[in-house]
Amino acid sequence: MKRPIVMIIMLLICITTYAQNSWLGVSSTAFTTLQMDDSSISSSKIGWGAGIGFAYQWQKKRFIMEFGLDATYNYHHIGLTDTILSFSMIDTKGTPFQYKGVLANREDICRTMAISIPMMFGMEFNYLYFLAGINLNLNLFGTSFSCANLTTSGKYDIFYDELVNIPSHGFTDNQPITSTGNITYNIDIRPTIEFGTVFNKKFKKSKVHLGIYAEYGILNALPSNNIEELIIPDLGQYMQLDMNHFYTTPHASYLHHFVVGVRFKALLQISSNNKNKCRCVWE
């Protein structure tokens, strides 16, 4: 993972050293994110994120070439369909019964830190600009959080109705449960487009880009170790459940990220082409 970052940094140093009409500055992003997979039991929910980093831009008349290096925080969010559980049990008096559970309103959340390296080409006019290219996304680490409501009941052959909402006997109604874990997504390549407005261009040595961008991951970003169980029951003392994040299990075979956001860049000119400047002396 470190080699691509080192190569990009060396390339930027070389370009900055030899290129003319170069701009260097800071960038910040705020975005919404959507996770899309092929599973029938998951549903995408809108997440969000933010990033901060550096941007380098080379300009030749209206043509611009841009490279960036951003650190991003990502909050991903999906929902899961309800799960019905049933276990054959024997109570403390030796009477057999069916211990039932319904896991409802489950949501799986993950918070990740990533390195984003956009590489784009485009055009800049007096007040507008347009860029298109790719974004290399390298996930560094992440934590997961799963939450749901658990309702349990007991079905005895000797009783006509099921036993419900008796916490002292392990039958609860909408009991909140949570689980935490770790998650790391695979490397992703995302085609991206960006367009927006150019400000402050009249001062020549500085400018500001404010634009809207969108990107879509074309690689399968699922973690490579997605072999965990979705639910791990513990019946040692009533019904207790441990939940693993959905994307650490084999229930999905692919995952793609879709991002839409706003990017702000403040750029300073660090070199310029002086060949066409007049050096005449007037008498």
Side-chain angles (χ1 to χ4, degrees):
M1 183 178 292
K2 293 182 179 179
R3 178 178 289 183
I5 300 176
V6 173
M7 293 178 64
I8 293 296
I9 293 174
M10 291 179 63
L11 178 61
L12 292 179
I13 293 174
C14 292
I15 293 176
T16 304
T17 303
Y18 294 103
Q20 294 179 325
N21 297 323
S22 296
W23 302 76
L24 186 65
V26 295
S27 67
S28 61
T29 57
F31 53 86
T32 60
T33 179
L34 204 63
Q35 293 182 301
M36 295 175 286
D37 59 57
D38 62 338
S39 175
S40 60
I41 66 173
S42 66
S43 59
S44 299
K45 294 181 178 294
I46 295 178
W48 57 271
I52 187 169
F54 300 95
Y56 167 80
Q57 190 178 101
W58 178 82
Q59 185 171 6
K60 180 70 172 179
K61 295 183 179 179
R62 298 192 185 277
F63 175 78
I64 53 176
M65 177 175 63
E66 185 173 295
F67 299 91
L69 181 64
D70 300 325
T72 64
Y73 171 83
N74 306 268
Y75 179 95
H76 300 297
H77 190 196
I78 63 169
L80 297 178
T81 58
D82 295 350
T83 302
I84 298 176
L85 306 166
S86 183
F87 304 96
S88 297
M89 304 287 293
I90 297 177
D91 66 13
T92 55
K93 296 181 179 181
T95 305
F97 72 102
Q98 203 70 22
Y99 201 0
K100 296 182 178 181
V102 177
L103 191 66
N105 304 319
R106 175 171 172 175
E107 295 182 351
D108 281 8
I109 297 165
C110 64
R111 304 174 178 92
T112 65
M113 293 296 297
I115 294 294
S116 177
I117 307 175
M119 295 167 280
M120 297 182 288
F121 304 86
M123 303 288 289
E124 181 183 291
F125 303 93
N126 289 334
Y127 301 103
L128 298 173
Y129 75 94
F130 172 82
L131 291 165
I134 61 171
N135 185 2
L136 179 64
N137 190 268
L138 306 172
N139 187 227
L140 301 179
F141 59 87
T143 59
S144 64
F145 176 80
S146 300
C147 59
N149 293 325
L150 177 63
T151 298
T152 57
S153 61
K155 175 61 178 176
Y156 285 80
D157 292 337
I158 59 175
F159 300 124
Y160 181 78
D161 293 324
E162 292 186 6
L163 301 183
V164 297
N165 200 18
I166 311 176
S168 60
H169 289 72
F171 307 130
T172 59
D173 184 34
N174 278 329
Q175 177 188 2
I177 62 172
T178 61
S179 297
T180 59
N182 297 313
I183 187 170
T184 302
Y185 294 108
N186 275 334
I187 187 172
D188 200 7
I189 295 178
R190 304 175 181 179
T192 179
I193 58 173
E194 178 182 339
F195 64 92
T197 304
V198 182
F199 295 97
N200 213 34
K201 194 68 178 293
K202 63 181 180 179
F203 293 104
K204 305 298 183 182
K205 296 295 183 180
S206 65
K207 61 181 177 180
V208 171
H209 279 191
L210 179 62
I212 299 172
Y213 73 97
E215 57 189 40
Y216 178 78
I218 59 176
L219 298 185
N220 187 353
L222 278 177
S224 55
N225 58 338
N226 54 336
I227 57 174
E228 303 292 341
E229 295 290 335
L230 187 61
I231 300 172
I232 302 176
D234 180 6
L235 304 175
Q237 185 176 5
Y238 305 142
M239 187 184 297
Q240 300 180 41
L241 303 177
D242 189 24
M243 300 173 288
N244 289 309
H245 191 280
F246 182 71
Y247 291 135
T248 64
T249 74
H251 287 272
S253 60
Y254 69 78
L255 170 65
H256 299 292
H257 289 99
F258 178 64
V259 175
V260 176
V262 177
R263 179 176 281 117
F264 169 86
K265 287 169 286 190
L267 302 164
L268 293 175
Q269 193 173 45
I270 58 176
S271 65
S272 61
N273 192 338
N274 297 318
K275 291 181 180 180
N276 297 324
K277 288 189 176 181
C278 178
R279 301 186 180 218
C280 302
V281 177
W282 294 85
E283 294 182 359

